Amino acid sequence: EDEKQLHSLLMTEGDLAAGDLDIPVEWLETLNREGRVLYLEQGLWIAAEHQEDYRKALEENDRETCLSILRRMLRYRGGSSAAQAAARYGLPPEITEELLQELCRRKEAVCTLPDSQPRLPSRTGSEENAAAEAVYYHAKLYKRARTKTVKNRREEITTCPPAAYAALLPARISHPAPAEEALSHALSSLAGTPFPAAAWEDQLLPLRVNGYRETLLDGFLAKGEYFWQMEDGRLRFDRTDEIDWEQPPVTEALCALSEKEQLILEALSRRGASFMQALNNVLPGESPYDTLLSLMEKGIVCADSFLPVRQWLNREKIKKSAARQRIGARVKALNAGRFDLVRPLRTLTIQEQMDRCFDRCLILCRETAAACGLPWQEALSPSAQRLFRRRPLRRPVSAQRRLRQRHGQTAPSPKRAALVKRRRPPAALGQAPSPPAGTLFCQPARHCRSALRRPSRGTFRETG
């Protein structure tokens, strides 16, 4: 407000150049006449008490004094590049760059690239082009600004109401893509979860794949990317790259196998994946058809076609049909694909389990983790949190909320920004969208029942 405060400001903040502060030039001239401030040929005003320091730095090139002046410039004048600092103090650009890098090595400054990503200090000075564009900031100010920015961005977002999440889950059922791509997406989202065998082609896949037909699934399974296995009348799909090939095939029910089943099992163990026609000589005078379906029902055998599952579902109808139809069903099974033993799956890493939970449930919390088979304590472990922190932040989610060791906190998936909205949301997010007509609440959404209100009767039909 006056000359005295200006002098105190120069004592604290160091030098002052034209344009740094909006003050009357008369104040500086008055202080200069009183001998309290000095003007340097570099175009800087300094307090008379700092004359010796600037003489050592600018004339004698004293390293520690130069570092002190540059550190104070970053603290009170904001970020600066090496070229700007060199022009301000009349120093060679190479020396200025080296001094600023030394401040970075001492963790007293932070170097950032034009895309605002921190850059580690270079000890060799080989990155000349990048260094010319780099901007340096005072370390404490940079940390304070980053913390404040994250805090502000976290305050700007708020979780949508439960009704929006309830409507989002069924809204993702239909995938606007070609049939084969939509089928791959559907199996990926449902992999690892057993459902009633009849529900796959009656409800789950037709709702997710436009124009679904049986040959589409058979052709996709023939590629070998996924395989199926049965568990007590339920059927699940898994990825073949998750098979643990070091472990022997599933043999939990060997003690309950019949003699015919033992023979078929031994043949598959010796020969590997085989067509049904190649197994005709295993049971003398008898077709292996019924035996393979029995092993398939027990979860010991699978096939690279879905036709055996369809025939198993219609087994009672086939038994009551005419002899010609029964023979036709067996002929189709001969060319349906190869039968093989079901092998155990390897243990998924914590990152793979978290990615699967995000893809299926969109958010990660105690309830969704339990539904995906992810132990909540492992999700809260330091290693899992480090994996989560390395996930890139994607707009419109301003700040990625991290996992914390508290019950009830959730972390939005980086791929699913629709779960969060700003406090001033657009009109599209103001209301929960209505689920598509005819949508069924099947078992993939069971995990949200404890957290969401049950819809009124007549709105949805619950199956499974």
Side-chain angles (χ1 to χ4, degrees):
E1 296 180 359
D2 53 24
E3 296 87 342
K4 294 182 180 181
Q5 292 186 359
L6 178 59
H7 180 263
S8 300
L9 183 68
L10 291 174
M11 289 291 296
T12 302
E13 300 183 0
D15 51 80
L16 183 66
D20 288 348
L21 295 177
D22 185 13
I23 57 174
V25 68
E26 290 79 7
W27 291 1
L28 293 171
E29 294 175 352
T30 301
L31 293 175
N32 187 22
R33 287 194 297 268
E34 296 177 357
R36 302 174 66 184
V37 300
L38 300 175
Y39 182 76
L40 303 181
E41 62 181 3
Q42 289 82 1
L44 301 175
W45 292 91
I46 63 171
E49 291 82 354
H50 294 161
Q51 181 180 8
E52 185 65 18
D53 294 338
Y54 279 83
R55 185 188 65 80
K56 291 181 179 180
L58 303 182
E59 296 180 8
E60 301 179 3
N61 294 326
D62 184 75
R63 187 177 182 85
E64 291 300 325
T65 308
C66 287
L67 290 174
S68 176
I69 292 176
L70 289 175
R71 181 174 58 249
R72 186 165 51 189
M73 177 203 67
L74 296 177
R75 173 66 176 82
Y76 294 103
R77 301 295 172 241
S80 173
S81 64
Q84 292 173 338
R88 183 183 181 93
Y89 295 106
L91 297 174
E94 298 78 8
I95 296 179
T96 306
E97 171 68 19
E98 181 182 354
L99 293 173
L100 291 172
Q101 288 291 329
E102 178 64 24
L103 290 177
C104 292
R105 285 190 287 271
R106 296 183 181 184
K107 297 183 179 181
E108 295 177 349
V110 176
C111 178
T112 62
L113 296 175
D115 56 358
S116 302
Q117 295 296 327
R119 180 171 69 90
L120 296 177
S122 172
R123 296 181 180 271
T124 61
S126 59
E127 301 177 358
E128 296 180 359
N129 295 333
E133 300 178 355
V135 179
Y136 295 84
Y137 297 92
H138 194 275
K140 292 185 177 179
L141 292 182
Y142 186 86
K143 182 179 180 181
R144 187 184 306 169
R146 183 176 59 182
T147 303
K148 183 65 175 178
T149 300
V150 173
K151 180 181 178 181
N152 291 341
R153 289 179 176 178
R154 286 177 176 173
E155 291 177 351
E156 288 177 356
I157 60 177
T158 178
T159 305
C160 287
Y165 180 53
L168 181 62
L169 289 178
R172 296 173 60 244
I173 290 179
S174 180
H175 196 266
E180 187 172 350
E181 182 180 346
L183 179 60
S184 176
H185 181 270
L187 293 180
S188 175
S189 62
L190 299 175
T193 304
F195 296 98
W200 284 98
E201 291 195 311
D202 290 344
Q203 300 172 2
L204 298 175
L205 296 181
L207 282 173
R208 290 163 172 79
V209 181
N210 292 328
Y212 174 80
R213 55 192 182 277
E214 296 178 352
T215 56
L216 186 64
L217 179 58
D218 293 335
F220 187 80
L221 291 175
K223 297 179 180 179
E225 185 178 354
Y226 287 87
F227 73 99
W228 53 263
Q229 57 179 315
M230 299 190 68
E231 301 175 356
D232 300 329
R234 292 174 173 267
L235 186 140
R236 55 180 285 180
F237 285 88
D238 291 290
R239 296 184 60 89
T240 54
D241 55 9
E242 296 177 359
I243 295 178
D244 188 356
W245 295 102
E246 301 297 330
Q247 299 295 328
V250 176
T251 56
E252 298 178 355
L254 284 181
C255 58
L257 296 182
S258 64
E259 182 179 356
K260 297 179 182 179
E261 292 172 342
Q262 289 280 5
L263 293 175
I264 294 294
L265 183 61
E266 292 175 2
L268 289 176
S269 299
R270 292 193 311 267
R271 305 177 185 180
S274 305
F275 289 93
M276 183 185 296
Q277 189 173 3
L279 300 173
N280 284 335
N281 58 351
V282 176
L283 302 178
E286 185 177 345
S287 172
Y289 177 80
D290 295 329
T291 306
L292 285 172
L293 292 186
S294 177
L295 290 173
M296 182 187 71
E297 182 180 1
K298 296 178 180 179
I300 301 178
V301 171
C302 64
D304 54 8
S305 172
F306 208 70
L307 179 62
V309 179
R310 301 188 191 104
Q311 294 186 353
W312 177 81
L313 292 172
N314 298 325
R315 60 190 181 278
E316 297 299 331
K317 182 179 179 181
I318 295 177
K319 288 180 181 180
K320 299 178 182 179
S321 62
R324 184 176 181 180
Q325 295 180 348
R326 293 198 302 269
I327 294 175
R330 290 175 182 254
V331 171
K332 289 182 179 179
L334 290 175
N335 302 320
R338 300 176 302 171
F339 288 85
D340 197 3
L341 298 178
V342 175
R343 296 183 178 272
L345 302 176
R346 61 178 175 84
T347 303
L348 299 180
T349 64
I350 186 65
Q351 183 173 3
E352 291 174 330
Q353 295 182 60
M354 292 174 66
D355 289 340
R356 176 171 292 185
C357 186
F358 277 132
D359 291 338
R360 182 178 304 171
C361 306
L362 306 181
I363 63 174
L364 180 60
C365 63
R366 186 185 297 271
E367 292 77 14
T368 57
C372 297
L374 173 61
W376 185 239
Q377 293 302 322
E378 292 187 13
L380 297 177
S381 63
S383 59
Q385 293 190 33
R386 285 194 296 271
L387 290 173
F388 189 76
R389 291 189 180 104
R390 286 199 292 268
R391 289 175 175 267
L393 304 184
R394 300 184 180 182
R395 293 186 178 182
V397 181
S398 300
Q400 182 68 53
R401 283 184 288 177
R402 301 173 178 176
L403 291 174
R404 296 179 182 176
Q405 297 180 0
R406 297 181 186 175
H407 171 68
Q409 282 193 321
T410 61
S413 165
K415 301 178 181 178
R416 307 300 180 190
L419 287 180
V420 292
K421 62 183 181 67
R422 297 182 181 274
R423 288 184 175 176
R424 295 184 296 275
L429 293 179
Q431 297 178 353
S434 300
T439 299
L440 304 178
F441 262 165
C442 298
Q443 293 195 13
R446 270 191 176 177
H447 55 269
C448 64
R449 291 180 181 175
S450 59
L452 304 175
R453 295 179 179 178
R454 179 180 292 273
S456 59
R457 288 190 175 182
T459 305
F460 304 107
R461 180 167 63 89
E462 188 171 334
T463 65

